[in-house]
Amino acid sequence: MRIRSLALLVAFSSALTPVYAQTTGSSPADVSRTAAAANTTASDLTPSTASAALDTPIRKPDMPTIPAQPLQLRIQATRPLKLQDAVSLVLDRNPQLLTARYAVDRAEAVKRQAEAALFPTVSLNVNYTYSQSPQSAISRALISGESSSTTGPSTLAQGIQFLNTAGFTPAESSALSSLLFSSSGSGINNAFLSESATITGTAAINWTIFSSGLVGSNILAAEESLKATRLQYETTRQDLINTVIGAYYDLQTADGNVQIGDAAVKSNQASVRDARAQEQAGTGTRFAVLQAEVNLANAVQQKLSADNQREISQRNLARLLNYATPTAVEAVDPIEEAGTWNLGLEETIMRALNQRTELAYQDSLRRSAKATQAAAYASISPQVNVFLNGQFFDNLIDRSVGIFTGYTIGAQIQWNAFDGGAAVAQADQAIATARTAEANFIDTFNTVRYSVESSISSLTTARQQIDTATTAVASAEEALRLARLRFQAGVGTQTDVLIADTSLTQARVNRLTAVISYNRALASIRRSVGIL
């Protein structure tokens, strides 16, 4: 009996399956509107680099553990890095980029959830119930004249005799006795069952075939939100690369200042030795020695500041690279120009406005808000649903009753005609969001243009400063050499040497600053165009 009931349930579910399967190939009005809307609102501003970057896997970083001993926080390794190595590492393990990737995964799930409304919902339910009824047992005992513990039926002759004494005619007694006291299985035990084991099942299909555009608008809003999230991921990626480049250039600047500081200390030490030698020989003055010692002390102070700044820059770059253990980093790339930019100002601005993900992001937010507005209005419009419900019932103990099945089919029109203004308020919120995106688009447009203009100007200026500083370094080195020779020959003063030494240090700093500024401006241009 149980096998028969389960088989019926499976057969009933299989009969419903083609109805659901046909919906996957159907093209209701909502699907048409969604496809048309998606085609007409496709943004041409989305860079191809966004999808390409999403295809690159990101390694999930391990959760750091709280150290138990201070020794665990000691720097355990030093990693020499090129700029490209630093960029690769930060794209592979940075938590900010991983968070942006999770946001894309969440938006994709929201889109799938919205698309699920295009298909019917199918629900199945099976219940098994076993019960014992004392009332039925008492009724059976009273009629059969047996105790509740008796399970066998009364005989046919006893039944006829009982009915004759109860006032029934012989024909009626014979018919009732055959029904109630027959030993064929349909006697008094089945008429007054004291226990039952029922199994019931239901299957329901519900399908919204017309939603006044609600489903299509929700799908379109989810698609635009997904597009915006992908663009935000690319923006995060570009900003992260730009941040790493800036941190690497900070470390290069600190390294250069340390080298310049070392050279300045060595040069001032030589000046102190020369001044003391001349003082001992009687050709120099104590004043010149004091001047040289003060300049040496100043050079040492600048060297200490440079050392501190280098350590800070190293820690900052290591933080961005998210090493599992405390690690120090060193910049091994030479401090030189990183490349050239051959496009003019107008061409660069045009490329930036067409390729920057921030502009496409604001446009996608505006489109998503418009779709949300349409969904809000559709929520108070008529919607049509069709449904099909099927049921079956079987008592596994009562052998005289078989399996009963039934079904219900119909259509329903639902119209939330008045909701107290909630839908209109939601639409107004979407309108405000769309207008905010439009205002942000304008602001981002102007910001992109300004960033290109300022970066191009900085690049041009830095290029000129490099040429000037290179010439100045060569002149300052020669001037210091001559000043030392004049001082050693007694025809020059210590002041001339100190001035020449200070000028050489400043020229080297100027050249270092010009080269780093040039590279920063070049990176800024590439970031403005969106090609980092």
Side-chain angles (χ1 to χ4, degrees):
M1 187 66 67
R2 293 178 176 86
I3 298 177
R4 180 186 63 181
S5 302
L6 294 175
L8 180 62
L9 179 61
V10 172
F12 185 71
S13 302
S14 301
L16 296 177
T17 302
V19 178
Y20 179 81
Q22 291 174 3
T23 62
T24 59
S26 62
S27 56
D30 284 331
V31 180
S32 319
R33 285 193 297 270
T34 303
N39 291 332
T40 56
T41 60
S43 175
D44 297 331
L45 298 174
T46 306
S48 59
T49 55
S51 58
L54 283 170
D55 294 335
T56 304
I58 303 176
R59 186 178 65 178
K60 181 180 179 180
D62 298 329
M63 291 288 293
T65 58
I66 303 300
Q69 298 178 355
L71 185 62
Q72 296 176 275
L73 299 175
R74 182 177 299 176
I75 300 296
Q76 301 179 9
T78 300
R79 305 291 185 187
L81 290 175
K82 294 183 178 181
L83 177 58
Q84 189 58 45
D85 296 335
V87 171
S88 299
L89 285 174
V90 78
L91 293 180
D92 178 63
R93 60 178 67 170
N94 187 268
Q96 295 180 9
L97 194 61
L98 191 62
T99 301
R101 181 62 175 269
Y102 289 154
V104 173
D105 295 340
R106 183 170 55 252
E108 289 176 347
V110 171
K111 177 176 176 288
R112 293 196 304 270
Q113 180 183 3
E115 291 174 342
L118 293 172
F119 303 98
T121 58
V122 179
S123 60
L124 301 175
N125 183 29
V126 178
N127 294 323
Y128 173 78
T129 304
Y130 175 80
S131 64
Q132 287 186 338
S133 174
Q135 292 82 2
S136 297
I138 293 172
S139 300
R140 183 181 65 180
L142 290 176
I143 293 179
S144 63
E146 300 173 347
S147 65
S148 60
S149 61
T150 302
T151 57
S154 299
T155 63
L156 181 61
Q158 291 174 341
I160 295 175
Q161 183 180 359
F162 173 77
L163 293 175
N164 285 333
T165 58
F168 289 93
T169 64
E172 293 173 343
S173 298
S174 177
L176 290 174
S177 296
S178 299
L179 174 64
L180 298 176
F181 306 104
S182 174
S183 60
S184 60
S186 59
I188 191 67
N189 288 330
N190 291 332
F192 297 98
L193 289 175
S194 61
E195 60 179 355
S196 65
T198 60
I199 180 171
T200 60
T202 60
I205 297 179
N206 196 340
W207 189 11
T208 301
I209 61 174
F210 178 76
S211 65
S212 297
L214 176 62
V215 175
S217 297
N218 287 334
I219 292 176
L220 181 57
E223 288 177 346
E224 293 297 336
S225 295
L226 174 59
K227 186 185 300 182
T229 308
R230 287 174 174 171
L231 292 168
Q232 186 63 31
Y233 172 85
E234 176 62 20
T235 300
T236 302
R237 175 180 171 274
Q238 292 276 327
D239 288 340
L240 189 58
I241 294 175
N242 193 48
T243 301
V244 171
I245 291 175
Y248 193 89
Y249 288 156
D250 288 340
L251 181 55
Q252 280 190 324
T253 302
D255 289 341
N257 286 329
V258 168
Q259 294 175 2
I260 294 172
D262 286 336
V265 169
K266 292 179 181 179
S267 178
N268 281 279
Q269 287 173 345
S271 298
V272 171
R273 288 195 300 268
D274 291 341
R276 287 174 178 173
Q278 287 194 353
E279 182 187 15
Q280 293 173 0
T283 59
T285 63
R286 180 61 180 169
F287 177 74
V289 175
L290 293 176
Q291 276 188 319
E293 290 176 346
V294 170
N295 273 23
L296 175 60
N298 292 336
V300 170
Q301 288 288 336
Q302 294 176 356
K303 170 67 166 49
L304 292 174
S305 298
D307 288 336
N308 176 62
Q309 190 59 45
R310 179 172 65 177
E311 184 174 356
I312 293 175
S313 299
Q314 287 176 334
R315 299 295 176 86
N316 183 45
L317 182 57
R319 174 187 65 86
L320 293 173
L321 300 182
N322 192 33
Y323 284 105
T325 57
T327 303
V329 294
E330 294 180 351
V332 298
D333 281 347
I335 302 177
E336 58 186 13
E337 301 170 35
T340 59
W341 187 257
N342 298 322
L343 294 180
L345 176 61
E346 291 75 15
E347 292 83 357
T348 304
I349 293 175
M350 184 181 67
R351 287 190 60 180
L353 294 177
N354 282 277
Q355 295 184 187
R356 279 292 287 265
T357 55
E358 290 88 339
L359 291 173
Y361 171 76
Q362 297 297 336
D363 187 64
S364 293
L365 289 182
R366 180 184 64 84
R367 296 175 186 274
S368 177
K370 291 291 186 181
T372 303
Q373 175 189 356
Y377 289 132
S379 66
I380 55 176
S381 301
Q383 302 186 25
V384 180
N385 301 333
V386 294
F387 59 89
L388 172 63
N389 299 326
Q391 309 89 24
F392 81 92
F393 173 87
D394 184 18
N395 191 340
L396 302 180
I397 294 179
D398 188 0
R399 293 169 294 175
S400 63
V401 180
I403 300 176
F404 289 90
T405 60
Y407 69 91
T408 304
I409 187 171
Q412 178 184 17
I413 298 178
Q414 182 179 357
W415 188 1
N416 188 17
F418 179 74
D419 61 353
V424 175
Q426 184 180 3
D428 291 340
Q429 295 175 34
I431 292 173
T433 302
R435 290 175 178 173
T436 301
E438 292 173 355
N440 290 336
F441 185 94
I442 297 173
D443 181 67
T444 305
F445 185 95
N446 295 329
T447 301
V448 169
R449 179 184 179 92
Y450 168 75
S451 65
V452 172
E453 292 173 339
S454 60
S455 299
I456 289 289
S457 177
S458 298
L459 185 71
T460 304
T461 302
R463 173 70 269 175
Q464 297 172 351
Q465 288 175 339
I466 290 174
D467 296 337
T468 303
T470 301
T471 303
V473 168
S475 300
E477 289 175 347
E478 180 64 17
L480 178 60
R481 187 185 69 85
L482 295 176
R484 288 192 185 281
L485 291 177
R486 287 168 54 84
F487 178 70
Q488 293 170 358
V491 295
T493 64
Q494 180 66 18
T495 302
D496 296 335
V497 175
L498 296 179
I499 292 175
D501 200 350
T502 302
S503 298
L504 176 58
T505 300
Q506 186 61 48
R508 287 171 175 171
V509 170
N510 290 342
R511 188 182 188 284
L512 172 65
T513 303
V515 172
I516 297 298
S517 297
Y518 178 89
N519 291 338
R520 290 184 189 275
L522 184 61
S524 179
I525 293 175
R526 291 171 177 169
R527 174 65 188 95
S528 299
V529 178
I531 58 173
L532 282 179

